[in-house]
Amino acid sequence: MTDRSLRLLLDFDGCAQRDSGQSSVFLHRRDRKFALTCEEQGVRPSPQRWIAYINRFSNSDPELNQSTKLRRLWRRVDNGFVTAGALFGLLSMLALLFYDGGQRINITVIIAFVAFQLLLALITTVQSLVGWQPWRSLLQGFGSHSQSEVVSHVQPVLMARSAHMGGSCFALAGLISLLVMVLLQDLAFGWSTTLETDAGSYHAIIAVISAPWAWLWPAAAPELGLVESTRFFRASGIQGDTDPALWGQWWPFITMLWTTWVLLPRLILCWVAGVLIRRKSRQLLGKHPAMRELMYRMETETLDTGNEHNDALDLPDIKTQFALTPLPKASILLSWAG
């Protein structure tokens, strides 16, 4: 988790939670002093500078704060998805390409599996956009239940990015396994279906699927003759009138099918998830309740009357009545004197 916008949101939210136990007088004096310091230095107050300013006076261990724990949690989630995705990608491709020399590898099954992977990728993205979190209880079991409600709004896109990272590793491991299997074994590909489908209709489907790369690698777009020659039926042996070399000419199509419709969508959607994380983090930071209160404290002057006694050892009087009052939770518009 290296997104600066997300780190800034988590750090700001952690500081806001830590300030919830402080008195309003102390917070007003501190933040007003920060605003005056920035004005003297000729710089604009920003959340980054404010966090660095108050952390200088904090005695809390940065390794134990809530934002660090949350970043570590999502780092473990990312690593878990990456490891599981690579493992399942290897096993899935080995299962799809299982060949003992007595049957053909059905292209129709591979196409259906690729379509299923594409559907999962799209569902993951849609789920993050609508904010549905069916896995929230699972994250709570890993210790994320203590985070604020503001940060919980970014969880759907975080989970989507983790899932797409795992899906990308799944696709990459599957592609590498496919190329290794093609190199080490003499695979026999063919197509078959229980439905009454002629070779012309099946070739039309193949042509639509291979349209994105047909101009780049013509060998990966099977012709009608190959489709007609490599159809097989139930209980048919591997030998027949078909040239044995034709059974292996499907591998370029399978390679581009997997790369174009499994690997590339996952990489693109993973990048989109990262963009959504940065965008949502900036929005949540701007709408954070503590941000509005911080701006209010920095812009409002404070009056420190000091010590009412003559003894210099006495502490300043912090019971002085200030004009600053806590902001209400809801947005309120006042119409004064008409």
Side-chain angles (χ1 to χ4, degrees):
M1 183 185 299
T2 59
D3 299 304
R4 290 183 296 177
S5 299
L6 181 59
R7 290 177 62 92
L8 179 60
L9 173 64
L10 296 179
D11 291 340
F12 183 85
D13 186 74
C15 294
Q17 294 186 45
R18 188 173 58 192
D19 284 348
S20 60
Q22 302 290 345
S23 66
S24 59
V25 173
F26 168 77
L27 296 178
H28 187 198
R29 288 176 173 173
R30 182 199 65 188
D31 296 337
R32 180 58 180 172
K33 177 63 177 178
F34 166 72
L36 295 176
T37 302
C38 291
E39 183 178 354
E40 292 176 358
Q41 297 176 354
V43 296
R44 182 179 180 181
S46 64
Q48 296 93 327
R49 291 192 177 94
W50 178 76
I51 293 173
Y53 176 79
I54 66 174
N55 283 340
R56 291 188 304 171
F57 308 102
S58 175
N59 296 325
S60 61
D61 188 354
E63 299 295 327
L64 301 178
N65 60 51
Q66 191 62 30
S67 61
T68 302
K69 293 179 180 179
L70 192 58
R71 289 197 297 268
R72 289 180 176 179
L73 168 65
W74 282 103
R75 191 177 299 115
R76 292 196 300 268
V77 172
D78 292 342
N79 293 336
F81 270 95
V82 167
T83 303
L87 178 61
F88 281 108
L90 172 64
L91 297 178
S92 298
M93 186 56 67
L94 292 178
L96 289 173
L97 299 182
F98 177 76
Y99 177 65
D100 59 2
Q103 84 289 334
R104 302 161 187 82
I105 301 173
N106 198 342
I107 301 295
T108 308
V109 175
I110 299 179
I111 293 176
F113 187 80
V114 168
F116 177 69
Q117 293 299 317
L118 181 60
L119 179 62
L120 285 180
L122 295 177
I123 291 177
T124 300
T125 300
V126 172
Q127 173 185 308
S128 66
L129 293 177
V130 300
W132 183 40
Q133 304 182 44
W135 30 258
R136 174 178 288 183
S137 59
L138 180 62
L139 286 179
Q140 290 178 350
F142 284 93
S144 66
H145 57 277
S146 58
Q147 66 186 36
S148 69
E149 190 66 23
V150 174
V151 179
S152 66
H153 292 309
V154 80
Q155 280 191 161
V157 285
L158 285 174
M159 180 57 76
R161 186 179 65 174
S162 299
H164 289 313
M165 290 175 60
S168 300
C169 292
F170 173 91
L172 184 59
L175 179 61
I176 295 175
S177 303
L178 169 63
L179 297 177
V180 171
M181 292 290 289
V182 169
L183 180 64
L184 299 181
Q185 281 190 302
D186 185 15
L187 302 177
F189 296 96
W191 68 276
S192 179
T193 176
T194 306
L195 302 176
E196 293 294 335
T197 304
D198 60 349
S201 300
Y202 197 84
H203 177 262
I205 298 175
I206 295 298
V208 172
I209 296 175
S210 58
W213 66 81
W215 61 274
L216 179 64
W217 192 4
E223 298 179 352
L224 179 59
L226 179 62
V227 176
E228 293 176 342
S229 302
T230 54
R231 182 175 186 178
F232 66 92
F233 297 90
R234 65 185 72 89
S236 62
I238 190 66
Q239 300 298 331
D241 299 334
T242 304
D243 183 2
L246 295 178
W247 301 108
Q249 292 183 6
W250 280 94
W251 77 265
F253 170 78
I254 301 299
T255 302
M256 294 304 298
L257 171 71
W258 191 269
T259 302
T260 304
W261 297 110
V262 179
L263 179 59
L264 288 181
R266 284 292 188 177
L267 294 176
I268 294 174
L269 292 177
C270 185
W271 174 80
V272 171
V275 173
L276 292 177
I277 288 174
R278 292 188 289 271
R279 176 184 176 185
K280 199 169 188 65
S281 298
R282 289 192 293 265
Q283 291 177 349
L284 290 174
L285 181 62
K287 297 179 180 178
H288 201 292
M291 178 64 72
R292 184 180 59 175
E293 297 176 359
L294 172 63
M295 300 303 295
Y296 180 52
R297 292 194 297 265
M298 289 193 301
E299 296 173 357
T300 306
E301 296 182 356
T302 179
L303 176 62
D304 189 356
T305 58
N307 198 336
E308 294 182 350
H309 308 285
N310 295 326
D311 191 350
L313 296 179
D314 291 336
L315 295 176
D317 184 11
I318 63 174
K319 297 181 181 180
T320 305
Q321 297 296 326
F322 289 93
L324 180 68
T325 57
L327 284 175
K329 298 299 181 181
S331 299
I332 298 177
L333 177 65
L334 297 181
S335 177
W336 187 262

